[in-house]
Amino acid sequence: MSVTAAASGFVVLLLTVTVVQGEDDWGVRCTPTQICAVKGSKVQIRCSYWHPSRIDGHDVAVEKEFWFTKVQDSEPVDLRSASEYTGRVKYDCGNKACTLTITDLRDSDSDVYQFRFTTNHPTGSLTGLPGVSLSVTGVQVLTTKLSACKTDDCSWSRVECQTSCPPTPSPSYIWFKSGQKTSGEKSYTAYFHSADSISCAVRGHEDFPSAPVCVDGNSCNRVNYINRNICAFKGSSVDISCSYSSYYKRITSKSWLVAERKDVQLHRPQAVDLLKDPEFTARVQVLDPEPGRSTLRIMNLRLSDSAQYRFTFKSQWFEWERSFPGTTLTVTDPDVQVICSPIGPTLTCHSSCLLSGRPSFVWFKNGREVHGETSPTFRGFLHPENNYSCAYEHHHSSPVYAPKVPLVQLSQPGDILKDSSVSLTCSSDANPPPAYTWYKENQTLLNRAAQLVFRSIPLSDSGEYYCTAENELGKTTSKRVLINVKYAPKPPSVSVSPSGEIMEGSSVTLTCSSDANPAANYTWYKEDEDSPTASGQIFTITNITAEHGGKYQCEAQNTHGRSNTTLHLTVGAVSPGSWRSALIGSAAAVFLAVTLLSVFLLIR
Ligand SMILES: *[C@@H]1O[C@H](CO)[C@@H](O)[C@H](O)[C@H]1NC(C)=O
């Protein structure tokens, strides 16, 4: 079943119609299939897939979902373990669909991205073909001076927004004239003042405009950010820098602002000078190392500092537009990602913050540093008993470890009664979070979830149960728990021994048996007698006399209820005409049968 499906719905349809029968049960569909995205921005690719739920009587379960662009030793390399993408890729999977997000796009990300899923079925793996083609483009403005104005501080010029691929979905452009947003086509012709700078962006990627350029001359008003994306760890400090120039030489004020913060709860007015913002004043510094350059330093970073930071300046005649996109800061903690590969799990110290320079990682096993492990991927042997964590630039991740032995919890204490509803819950401490599976006795797979629910438990569900917890680092099995379904006694059956006629002076043994859980206790009553005649399953009467004749009742009882059966004992005299006794004996048997039948009907 080496199935291939295409990324576009149309081609999938084509395949399912023409390709070998059965393959329409398997498929991958991704949208969009052609993407042109702007450098520095992020892109999302979504693939959904389907597969048969059962094959040859076995449940099909998905084991892995991932994207790849490269194949190494005939195995696709999970994007998350490719060093070029460290810290920039994220998967969001669920409900048979996965979304891949690649942030801070680079030119080298232009490639064909293929989605693959594998299942527990030996041949049940599928790669979505032909994949999703991503092109990453820079944005720049091409200016052409058509003619000079009468005064020499302006020009009649044509500006064109250039990208190396047609931006998707539909190309539409945004222009920033001296930082101020205007709308426009891909290109336009207008008068430009020598003070004007021009920058363009692709709609949908407004935060990633081209570097502003002067249309005429070289001394226009402009602000150019050194980085459009910066990432930093919580607690660390970060420098955000820009270069700027002013056409009117006397700058009256400069400030750094914060915009588009994620925590809207603060209700802060947008674009407040950070030096005056109570949340920042103590933590920020503005450095002006040289004319035309400004650096904002934020110290002791908080996760809530993730936002866009902008620079603005004012001169006597001009103010740089506060809405012109600045540098987006992301504050994070590092974390360890566990990635399955054909050679077993591998650990990657993931961080959306790869600071410039040679990143140096530190790995820890059970909290103790592993010397010599400095790469983002841990190369040592992984033992399921250990826990692993990493640190990057002195920022620690939380540890990852295989599941601890799972605990099983029953929904309620005490006996489980037939037809009651009951559930078993499996729980284990693990990171990444484990997947749970429930089994009965001889590895009969029951459920792939933490909870096993019986809505109305039948007797046949009695037995031993256990669960497993599994993550990428290992698998553990719980203790077995016994489910013993209890029930009240069924109507007992009574046997008489010896069978046949009962004669005076002989002995007879009555045996009562009832199906019950827990086992029933038995009590015998004779008609017209208040107190029990005997107790126990077997009741023997020796040296029978005529007084022993009559109705007897056997009652079976356990903690969940009781049930009884009546029989008639007839004692024959030792006298001629033994045919009469025999007749009475058989009458008794008929009576017993009728009683049993009526009790049975009554119960029904
Ligand atoms: C990791 O191992 C260390 C040392 O054995 C232990 O102190 C720590 O509690 C472990 N962490 C977890 C989450 O198991």
Side-chain angles (χ1 to χ4, degrees):
M1 212 177 305
S2 85
V3 200
T4 52
S8 103
F10 176 67
V11 184
V12 169
L13 190 69
L14 219 66
L15 275 175
T16 58
V17 174
T18 56
V19 177
V20 195
Q21 171 239 357
E23 295 195 337
D24 52 349
D25 295 339
W26 297 81
V28 172
R29 183 184 291 131
C30 303
T31 51
T33 56
Q34 293 272 342
I35 303 175
C36 172
V38 174
K39 204 154 124 182
S41 71
K42 71 176 178 189
V43 71
Q44 292 196 316
I45 302 171
R46 184 176 167 83
C47 295
S48 57
Y49 60 88
W50 56 95
H51 59 80
S53 56
R54 286 175 79 80
I55 296 178
D56 307 331
H58 295 283
D59 282 343
V60 176
V62 173
E63 290 182 338
K64 261 180 84 176
E65 304 152 297
F66 65 102
W67 272 268
F68 65 96
T69 56
K70 291 187 177 56
V71 175
Q72 206 172 49
D73 304 330
S74 68
E75 286 292 341
V77 181
D78 189 328
L79 222 51
R80 292 174 302 184
S81 51
S83 57
E84 320 76 283
Y85 292 93
T86 307
R88 297 191 299 123
V89 299
K90 203 173 107 207
Y91 296 174
D92 287 302
C93 298
N95 280 337
K96 295 196 180 153
C98 276
T99 302
L100 163 70
T101 307
I102 310 173
T103 49
D104 196 8
L105 286 169
R106 300 167 188 177
D107 290 325
S108 58
D109 294 341
S110 297
D111 213 327
V112 174
Y113 292 79
Q114 289 177 307
F115 174 77
R116 183 173 174 78
F117 73 93
T118 65
T119 68
N120 57 347
H121 195 265
T123 57
S125 304
L126 182 64
T127 299
L129 290 175
V132 175
S133 168
L134 171 69
S135 309
V136 177
T137 178
V139 186
Q140 61 181 28
V141 181
L142 181 72
T143 65
T144 315
K145 188 168 171 176
L146 300 174
S147 62
C149 308
K150 293 215 176 68
T151 56
D152 54 0
D153 57 359
C154 81
S155 68
W156 172 249
S157 295
R158 181 175 182 274
V159 292
E160 184 185 342
C161 193
Q162 293 189 318
T163 57
S164 59
C165 53
T168 42
S170 68
S172 159
Y173 300 85
I174 288 162
W175 289 91
F176 297 93
K177 191 178 168 191
S178 294
Q180 187 140 25
K181 203 187 248 187
T182 61
S183 58
E185 300 294 309
K186 185 172 168 59
S187 68
Y188 70 99
T189 305
Y191 277 105
F192 290 95
H193 192 269
S194 300
D196 291 334
S197 65
I198 191 84
S199 162
C200 72
V202 171
R203 192 174 291 280
H205 303 277
E206 287 89 341
D207 282 347
F208 303 92
S210 67
V213 293
C214 300
V215 186
D216 187 35
N218 219 343
S219 55
C220 58
N221 291 309
R222 54 177 160 173
V223 173
N224 209 346
Y225 295 91
I226 312 303
N227 294 298
R228 288 287 179 187
N229 290 302
I230 290 188
C231 193
F233 290 113
K234 198 169 94 184
S236 68
S237 55
V238 70
D239 284 355
I240 299 171
S241 299
C242 73
S243 61
Y244 62 93
S245 67
S246 167
Y247 185 74
Y248 309 98
K249 292 305 165 208
R250 227 177 69 78
I251 289 176
T252 52
S253 71
K254 294 174 289 190
S255 48
W256 281 92
L257 317 163
V258 63
E260 295 178 18
R261 287 164 57 91
K262 300 213 169 62
D263 49 343
V264 284
Q265 271 131 340
L266 290 173
H267 293 302
R268 78 178 47 252
Q270 294 237 317
V272 173
D273 186 337
L274 286 183
L275 289 170
K276 302 197 180 99
D277 185 323
E279 205 189 320
F280 286 96
T281 41
R283 297 191 293 130
V284 299
Q285 258 179 298
V286 175
L287 316 169
D288 289 317
E290 59 196 74
R293 273 182 86 94
S294 184
T295 297
L296 170 71
R297 176 169 293 168
I298 312 175
M299 291 159 286
N300 195 12
L301 283 167
R302 304 169 183 172
L303 293 178
S304 62
D305 292 341
S306 296
Q308 201 187 88
Y309 293 83
R310 297 174 185 161
F311 176 79
T312 180
F313 66 89
K314 221 180 207 173
S315 60
Q316 198 176 353
W317 310 105
F318 176 80
E319 180 175 6
W320 181 259
E321 177 59 47
R322 292 169 171 230
S323 62
F324 186 72
T327 293
T328 300
L329 170 69
T330 311
V331 182
T332 61
D333 279 327
D335 70 311
V336 178
Q337 287 198 334
V338 187
I339 295 155
C340 290
S341 76
I343 52 160
T346 59
L347 304 182
T348 301
C349 194
H350 168 98
S351 149
S352 32
C353 295
L354 280 182
L355 307 181
S356 52
R358 256 183 68 95
S360 183
F361 293 87
V362 182
W363 284 93
F364 299 90
K365 185 165 91 180
N366 298 326
R368 243 172 285 147
E369 187 175 338
V370 183
H371 295 283
E373 287 280 356
T374 54
S375 78
T377 302
F378 185 79
R379 305 199 185 278
F381 175 73
L382 299 178
H383 194 280
E385 305 266 300
N386 296 330
N387 68 53
Y388 301 87
S389 59
C390 71
Y392 175 60
E393 298 282 327
H394 311 295
H395 298 279
H396 264 264
S397 74
S398 34
V400 292
Y401 46 95
K404 312 273 185 218
V405 174
L407 289 177
V408 173
Q409 261 188 322
L410 204 60
S411 53
Q412 78 256 354
D415 282 352
I416 296 160
L417 268 180
K418 181 176 176 290
D419 298 331
S420 64
S421 104
V422 65
S423 65
L424 292 171
T425 307
C426 185
S427 62
S428 163
D429 179 19
N431 187 22
Y436 297 101
T437 312
W438 275 102
Y439 296 90
K440 185 177 179 187
E441 276 147 8
N442 305 316
Q443 294 167 16
T444 317
L445 195 155
L446 298 172
N447 197 13
R448 290 184 189 276
Q451 215 180 33
L452 186 64
V453 178
F454 304 92
R455 304 232 172 273
S456 170
I457 195 165
L459 296 180
S460 57
D461 278 350
S462 285
E464 281 189 326
Y465 291 81
Y466 62 94
C467 66
T468 60
E470 182 173 18
N471 70 6
E472 291 81 347
L473 293 172
K475 181 174 180 174
T476 50
T477 303
S478 73
K479 283 194 183 135
R480 283 165 179 255
V481 287
L482 179 70
I483 292 271
N484 186 358
V485 180
K486 306 287 172 75
Y487 51 98
K490 305 263 173 73
S493 65
V494 180
S495 65
V496 184
S497 172
S499 57
E501 54 187 318
I502 301 158
M503 303 309 288
E504 276 183 25
S506 69
S507 328
V508 70
T509 299
L510 307 179
T511 307
C512 185
S513 58
S514 162
D515 189 9
N517 188 8
N521 291 323
Y522 297 91
T523 315
W524 296 89
Y525 296 91
K526 187 164 190 286
E527 73 179 324
D528 303 332
E529 284 177 20
D530 290 338
S531 51
T533 306
S535 64
Q537 196 168 3
I538 296 167
F539 173 33
T540 305
I541 312 169
T542 50
N543 198 10
I544 284 187
T545 62
E547 282 89 76
H548 283 118
K551 273 193 214 161
Y552 285 84
Q553 194 181 57
C554 162
E555 182 180 87
Q557 181 183 3
N558 70 8
T559 46
H560 301 295
R562 62 184 69 194
S563 178
N564 57 55
T565 296
T566 306
L567 92 158
H568 200 232
L569 202 65
T570 312
V571 179
V574 191
S575 61
S578 55
W579 60 270
R580 199 174 141 263
S581 314
L583 199 63
I584 290 164
S586 53
V590 168
F591 180 81
L592 175 64
V594 168
T595 315
L596 279 175
L597 190 68
S598 46
V599 169
F600 175 71
L601 289 175
L602 212 64
I603 301 265
R604 286 292 290 257

